[in-house]
Amino acid sequence: PTIQTRSLPPKEWKGEKTEWNFFNRWAMKIRATRNAHEAWRAFTRFSDLTPNFQVYAEMFLKLHARPVDEGASIQPGDSRETFPVHRANYSEYELARQTPPSVAELYNQMISSGTKPEGYCLNLLVRNARTVEEGLRYLRDSGMDHDLLALLADGGGPLTHRKLLRIPLVTFSSFVELLCRLQPD
């Protein structure tokens, strides 16, 4: 099933990168699902292909989405919240087979397939990390310079404007958002 999701369409690739349009469509099929179970079904639909970071990002987004509140008047596609899984007449085996992996399991699968977190995928992972160490692991796996990681991890010396300019603004913002979310006060 697909639902109308309020979002901008992905970039349409032209020329020598036209094969990337397939990954755009694959990612949009994951986005247009009601919950992580449907998203996992769309994610595993092409088992013979290795997903790119964009496809993984959409799956991580579904895994991180909050469940919709009971009694809410929103419809599928109105927001990022996920809806309950319709369990109809599935056997326990089928339900277990369709259960999506955890974020950590999917991330390990992504790394073992040779796909590095980058761009939107990296920022999503850093922003939603459970600990600062986990956020730093995502940054390390992305190939970020070790000096910049030291700067984010423990100050790594005097903080200068020149050093900050070497960190992409959206990535820095995601890391600050992680720190603010984990701050108890």
Side-chain angles (χ1 to χ4, degrees):
T2 57
I3 57 171
Q4 178 180 350
T5 304
R6 294 179 182 168
S7 64
L8 295 173
K11 178 179 181 175
E12 187 74 25
W13 295 98
K14 306 241 187 266
E16 56 193 46
K17 295 184 178 181
T18 53
E19 67 271 3
W20 290 9
N21 289 327
F22 171 77
F23 292 107
N24 285 349
R25 288 188 294 278
W26 190 1
M28 291 304 100
K29 285 181 188 263
I30 294 168
R31 181 179 290 184
T33 57
R34 294 173 290 192
N35 53 49
H37 288 265
E38 288 179 3
W40 182 242
R41 222 173 308 140
F43 182 87
T44 56
R45 186 173 187 181
F46 305 104
S47 59
D48 56 331
L49 296 172
T50 302
N52 70 352
F53 67 92
Q54 179 185 13
V55 176
Y56 276 109
E58 290 299 331
M59 192 63 215
F60 284 127
L61 195 59
K62 283 293 180 182
L63 291 174
H64 283 298
R66 293 187 335 251
V68 69
D69 294 331
E70 297 225 9
S73 62
I74 62 173
Q75 297 295 315
D78 288 347
S79 67
R80 289 275 186 210
E81 285 87 7
T82 59
F83 285 77
V85 177
H86 181 66
R87 298 190 180 264
N89 2 341
Y90 291 127
S91 67
E92 290 300 316
Y93 170 78
E94 190 62 21
L95 287 173
R97 190 181 70 76
Q98 291 180 1
T99 301
S102 67
V103 172
E105 292 168 339
L106 185 63
Y107 183 75
N108 290 335
Q109 176 186 333
M110 181 178 88
I111 293 300
S112 67
S113 73
T115 304
K116 289 183 174 184
E118 60 182 81
Y120 179 67
C121 182
L122 173 64
N123 299 326
L124 173 75
L125 287 168
V126 170
R127 187 173 45 248
N128 292 300
R130 291 173 297 175
T131 64
V132 173
E133 291 76 25
E134 186 176 284
L136 290 170
R137 176 187 177 208
Y138 297 145
L139 292 170
R140 189 178 318 107
D141 290 345
S142 74
M144 181 179 270
D145 185 79
H146 292 292
D147 294 337
L148 296 177
L149 278 171
L151 179 68
L152 292 175
D154 59 9
L159 184 64
T160 64
H161 185 258
R162 185 172 303 229
K163 287 181 181 178
L164 280 176
L165 285 176
R166 293 177 45 209
I167 303 172
L169 184 60
V170 179
T171 302
F172 183 71
S173 173
S174 296
F175 190 74
V176 170
E177 193 173 331
L178 167 67
L179 295 175
C180 291
R181 186 173 53 79
L182 294 178
Q183 180 65 13
D185 293 327

